[in-house]
């Protein structure tokens, strides 16, 4: 953060925040006792800490008290991810359409190098699975210098060792879940059932009770069929590490060299990719930002006047730097004012390509919101790409927000046990556990990760840019950071009760995102009551 931003925003922020109970020190608040109701859980990230006792972003309060009868302008939000189900009933009305392109004519009408890019672009073609970056480096030493190769090889070796133990654990979990599923199917008389139906089972049969207990735990991660599928995928990954065989070049089907930045026109216009089941992540992220509000189906998005531009660039595995760099540029060139990046990795052979794309976005007044990562690590010392600081100390651009994840229980356990953190390189925290949003084939799920925290903030950023379009990306970034709720006291880090630290030390702002306060500050800044940030 540059000094001018700190000086001009923080002074006025102190005044603005004193006007709102939400912005007061959170030491006067207490966490909600017991479990949230299903209704509250589905929208907890929209709730208000003072009113609802959960560390939400006060989105509902903002709509009720600040945005009624207020005009907004459409904002394009770029979702750089695994792909988006553009046919989902809660998303299809908010999908961006390229008006410069004529659908299906096989001609690059807007001459941007991408033929028939009606709703975005798919830089992966038919690829769904990919290697992790450290695996690619171990396979091809030319991708890295000796130091980086040594680090990648050490990580690879540790993952192989880890896989030996995890494989047995996953096998036991899969067997236990499969057996329990069979028992509960018989008890309920149906193949597909909900967590609520399992909870209501009252049988005293020990076998049924044990199966109920197993499934209640496993269904925290989704429907039984999905849990079993994920366990099988995990086993496939462990087996691939333990029995590597011949290295598979997944990129071959794309007919593109990921190490050659000169070729930019590859992939296709199918932003959903070849398999809808593989775009769960991107569809969920898009829903968090923009699933249609107040339509009485599914959940509500954060922003109410946005268009989702889809960039498919994140496979099941690590993304390529080339795809991310071009994906950011594509979104910028097609009018995105906010870009969400819910992805990341520990190695980045062509990081400069991505750095240049971030700088390009900055030059075009585009805000990038990025997930901090899910390794419970301090990214002031550990690598997390992409980022806005090559040395982990000094930002080379001022248009990136890096987001840590919160759980829904306010108090010492409010930081998600998986969330990365960093006093320098994480900017702010937002809801990221049990977030309810759209998933492929007209469904909805609860998912968790900094991947979910990031689009929550991207939604707030889009909300600000929609109602205050004259504010710059840099201004919006610092408004979000400076207007958040301050949380005094210590919290548990990494799920380790022995690791207790001040919440203020886990991010640069030391705050929780608060849409209500952000919009108040945006209103004041738009009227010139505080010196504007340059750019």
């Amino acid at each position: 953060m540059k000094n001018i931003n700190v000086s001009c925003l923080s002074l006025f922020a102190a005044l603005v925040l004193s006007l709102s109970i939400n912005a007061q020190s959170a030491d006067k608040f207490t966490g909600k006792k017991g479990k949230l109701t299903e209704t509250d859980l589905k929208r907890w990230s929209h709730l208000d800490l003072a009113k609802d006792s959960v560390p939400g972003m006060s989105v509902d309060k903002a709509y009720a008290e600040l945005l009624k009868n207020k005009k907004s302008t459409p904002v394009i939000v770029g979702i750089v991810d695994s792909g988006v189900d553009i046919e989902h009933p809660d998303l299809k009305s908010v999908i961006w359409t390229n008006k410069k392109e004529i659908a299906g004519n096989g001609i690059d009408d807007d001459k941007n190098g991408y033929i028939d890019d009606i709703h975005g672009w798919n830089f992966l073609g038919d690829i769904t699975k990919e290697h992790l970056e450290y695996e690619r480096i171990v396979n091809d030493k030319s991708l890295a210098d000796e130091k980086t190769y040594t680090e990648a090889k050490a990580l690879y070796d540790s993952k192989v060792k880890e896989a030996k133990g995890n494989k047995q654990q996953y096998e036991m979990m899969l067997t236990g879940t499969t057996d329990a599923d069979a028992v509960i199917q018989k008890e309920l008389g149906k193949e597909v059932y909900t967590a609520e139906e399992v909870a209501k089972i009252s049988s005293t049969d020990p076998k049924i009770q044990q199966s109920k207990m197993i499934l209640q735990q496993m269904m925290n991660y989704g429907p039984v069929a999905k849990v079993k599928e994920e366990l099988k995928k995990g086993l496939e990954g462990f087996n691939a590490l333990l029995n590597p065989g011949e290295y598979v070049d997944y990129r071959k089907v794309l007919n593109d060299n990921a190490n050659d930045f000169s070729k930019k026109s590859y992939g296709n216009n199918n932003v959903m990719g070849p398999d809808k089941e593989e775009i769960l992540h991107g569809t969920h992220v898009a829903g968090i930002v923009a699933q249609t509000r107040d339509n009485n189906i599914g959940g509500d998005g954060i922003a109410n006047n946005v268009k989702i531009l889809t960039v498919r660039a994140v496979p099941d595995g690590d993304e390529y730097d080339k795809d991310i760099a071009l994906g950011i540029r594509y979104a910028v060139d097609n009018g995105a004012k906010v870009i969400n990046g819910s992805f990341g990795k520990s190695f980045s052979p062509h990081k400069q390509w991505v750095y240049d794309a971030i700088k390009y976005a900055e030059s075009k007044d585009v805000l990038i919101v990025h997930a901090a990562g899910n390794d419970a690590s301090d990214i002031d010392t550990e690598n997390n790409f992409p980022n806005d600081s090559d040395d982990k100390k000094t930002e080379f651009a001022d248009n990136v927000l890096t987001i840590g994840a919160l759980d829904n229980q306010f108090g010492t356990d409010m930081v998600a046990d998986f969330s990365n953190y960093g006093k320098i390189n994480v900017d702010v925290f937002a809801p990221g556990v049990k977030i309810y949003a759209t998933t492929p084939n007209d469904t909805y799920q609860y998912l968790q990760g900094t991947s979910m925290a990031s689009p929550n903030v991207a939604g707030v950023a889009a909300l600000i840019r929609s109602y205050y379009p004259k504010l710059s990306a840099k201004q919006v970034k610092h408004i979000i950071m400076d207007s958040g709720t301050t949380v005094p006291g210590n919290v548990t880090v990494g799920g380790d009760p022995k690791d207790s630290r001040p919440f203020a030390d886990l991010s640069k702002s030391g705050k929780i995102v608060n849409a209500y306060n952000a919009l108040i500050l945006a209103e004041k800044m738009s009227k010139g009551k505080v010196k504007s940030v340059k750019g």
Side-chain angles (χ1 to χ4, degrees):
M1 185 190 301
K2 295 178 182 177
N3 291 334
I4 187 171
N5 297 336
V6 178
S7 61
C8 73
L9 283 174
S10 59
L11 290 176
F12 189 73
L15 172 61
V16 172
L17 300 188
S18 69
L19 302 176
S20 166
I21 188 170
N22 266 35
Q24 293 175 1
S25 178
D27 57 355
K28 296 183 179 180
F29 305 147
T30 57
K32 195 172 186 70
K33 304 298 182 184
K35 290 186 176 181
L36 296 177
T37 65
E38 188 70 14
T39 299
D40 283 349
L41 186 60
K42 283 183 176 179
R43 62 183 308 102
W44 79 265
S45 63
H46 297 237
L47 300 183
D48 178 75
L49 182 56
K51 178 184 176 183
D52 306 300
S53 301
V54 294
M57 302 188 301
S58 303
V59 175
D60 289 346
K61 182 178 180 181
Y63 277 103
E65 298 183 18
L66 301 177
L67 300 179
K68 270 189 175 180
N69 304 317
K70 196 172 182 67
K71 291 183 179 181
S72 63
T73 58
V75 169
I76 298 172
V77 178
I79 303 294
V80 180
D81 214 294
S82 63
V84 174
D85 183 355
I86 61 176
E87 298 170 343
H88 196 292
D90 222 358
L91 290 177
K92 59 185 179 182
S93 67
V94 298
I95 299 301
W96 171 79
T97 297
N98 184 357
K99 295 179 181 179
K100 298 177 182 178
E101 198 76 17
I102 300 172
N105 69 352
I107 299 172
D108 180 16
D109 299 290
D110 58 5
K111 296 179 173 56
N112 67 350
Y114 304 101
I115 297 172
D116 289 341
D117 54 324
I118 303 300
H119 301 299
W121 193 252
N122 171 14
F123 285 95
L124 299 178
D126 289 338
I127 294 171
T128 56
K129 185 172 178 56
E130 253 300 344
H131 295 286
L132 299 175
E133 196 66 76
Y134 69 83
E135 294 174 323
R136 295 197 282 252
I137 291 172
V138 169
N139 179 69
D140 183 0
K141 291 184 69 172
S142 69
L143 292 175
D145 56 32
E146 191 61 36
K147 180 178 179 292
T148 303
Y149 174 80
T150 301
E151 291 172 352
K153 184 65 166 63
L155 179 58
Y156 178 86
D157 291 341
S158 71
K159 292 294 183 181
V160 170
K161 184 178 179 180
E162 196 177 280
K164 291 177 181 178
N166 285 343
K167 179 184 176 183
Q168 184 177 9
Q169 183 180 357
Y170 268 55
E171 286 172 340
M172 291 173 61
M173 290 167 64
L174 180 58
T175 299
T177 303
T178 302
D179 291 347
D181 183 30
V183 170
I184 298 303
Q185 281 189 33
K186 185 176 180 181
E187 172 66 15
L188 293 175
K190 56 171 70 173
E191 291 185 4
V192 180
Y193 46 83
T194 66
E196 290 76 17
E197 289 174 311
V198 174
K200 290 178 182 178
I201 294 174
S202 59
S203 172
T204 57
D205 184 309
K207 189 173 183 179
I208 294 175
Q209 281 295 308
Q210 182 182 24
S211 298
K212 174 183 174 180
M213 188 174 9
I214 290 171
L215 291 186
Q216 283 182 308
Q217 183 175 357
M218 299 308 294
M219 290 181 79
N220 283 326
Y221 303 98
V224 176
K226 190 66 181 176
V227 169
K228 291 196 290 186
E229 182 183 333
E230 290 302 315
L231 288 170
K232 288 176 183 176
K233 279 187 177 180
L235 281 170
E236 288 174 6
F238 298 143
N239 286 327
L241 273 172
L242 297 171
N243 306 290
E246 185 178 352
Y247 183 87
V248 179
D249 182 4
Y250 297 105
R251 193 82 175 181
K252 187 180 294 185
V253 301
L254 192 58
N255 191 30
D256 175 71
N257 180 0
N259 303 309
D260 178 6
F261 201 64
S262 63
K263 180 184 176 183
K264 298 178 173 61
S265 298
Y266 58 91
N268 59 48
N269 69 342
N270 179 14
V271 295
M272 293 193 287
D275 183 355
K276 267 194 178 185
E277 291 300 320
E278 296 294 334
I279 59 172
L280 179 143
H281 192 274
T283 302
H284 197 267
V285 165
I288 293 170
V289 175
Q291 54 196 349
T292 308
R293 291 185 63 84
D294 302 322
N295 62 352
N296 297 317
I297 63 170
D300 284 343
I302 302 296
N304 63 344
N305 193 5
V306 301
K307 292 297 181 182
I308 294 297
L309 183 158
T310 299
V311 176
R312 186 169 181 266
V314 184
D316 180 9
D318 277 344
E319 61 279 359
Y320 277 97
D321 295 327
K322 178 179 179 179
D323 298 340
I324 297 303
L326 290 177
I328 290 172
R329 288 175 177 272
Y330 177 88
V332 170
D333 289 341
N334 284 282
K337 300 309 291 181
V338 178
I339 296 174
N340 186 80
S342 288
F343 51 82
K345 56 187 181 179
S346 299
F347 296 89
S348 185
H350 300 295
K351 61 185 179 181
Q352 192 60 50
W353 295 346
V354 184
Y355 291 166
D356 290 344
I358 291 171
K359 293 174 187 175
Y360 179 70
E362 181 183 38
S363 74
K364 299 294 185 179
D365 190 35
V366 179
L367 181 69
I368 297 174
V369 187
H370 183 244
N374 304 324
D375 301 311
S377 297
D378 183 351
I379 61 172
D380 289 348
T381 57
E382 300 294 328
N383 287 336
N384 181 57
F385 296 103
N387 52 45
D388 56 359
S389 175
D390 193 37
D391 62 1
K392 301 185 180 70
K393 296 177 182 178
T394 306
E395 292 181 353
F396 58 75
D398 200 16
N399 65 322
V400 178
L401 274 171
T402 302
I403 315 299
L406 296 173
D407 207 332
N408 55 39
Q409 294 298 315
F410 179 73
T412 56
D413 295 328
M414 65 186 293
V415 174
D417 57 11
F418 53 77
S419 181
N420 285 351
Y421 53 91
K423 181 65 174 173
I424 299 173
N425 290 293
V426 173
D427 292 306
V428 69
F429 275 75
V433 174
K434 286 193 175 179
I435 305 299
Y436 190 73
T438 47
T439 46
N441 297 313
D442 305 354
T443 60
Y444 300 82
Q445 284 186 37
Y446 291 102
L447 296 179
Q448 65 180 25
T450 55
S451 283
M452 282 65 248
S454 181
N456 266 315
V457 181
V460 173
L463 200 60
I464 297 169
R465 304 210 80 174
S466 177
Y467 284 90
Y468 301 96
K470 292 183 180 179
L471 295 179
S472 70
K474 296 177 184 181
Q475 288 173 314
V476 173
K477 169 182 174 174
H478 293 291
I479 284 171
I480 289 173
M481 291 175 66
D482 283 10
S483 64
T485 303
T486 301
V487 178
N490 286 13
V491 292
T492 300
V493 177
D496 181 0
K498 296 179 182 178
D499 191 350
S500 179
R501 311 185 200 181
F503 181 74
D505 289 347
L506 301 185
S507 69
K508 185 178 292 186
S509 69
K511 297 177 181 179
I512 298 172
V513 170
N514 188 300
Y516 180 86
N517 295 334
L519 287 163
I520 290 175
L521 185 50
E523 171 79 12
K524 299 292 184 179
M525 180 171 284
S526 71
K527 290 182 177 179
K529 293 185 178 181
V530 60
K531 185 178 178 182
S532 179
V533 180
K534 290 182 179 179

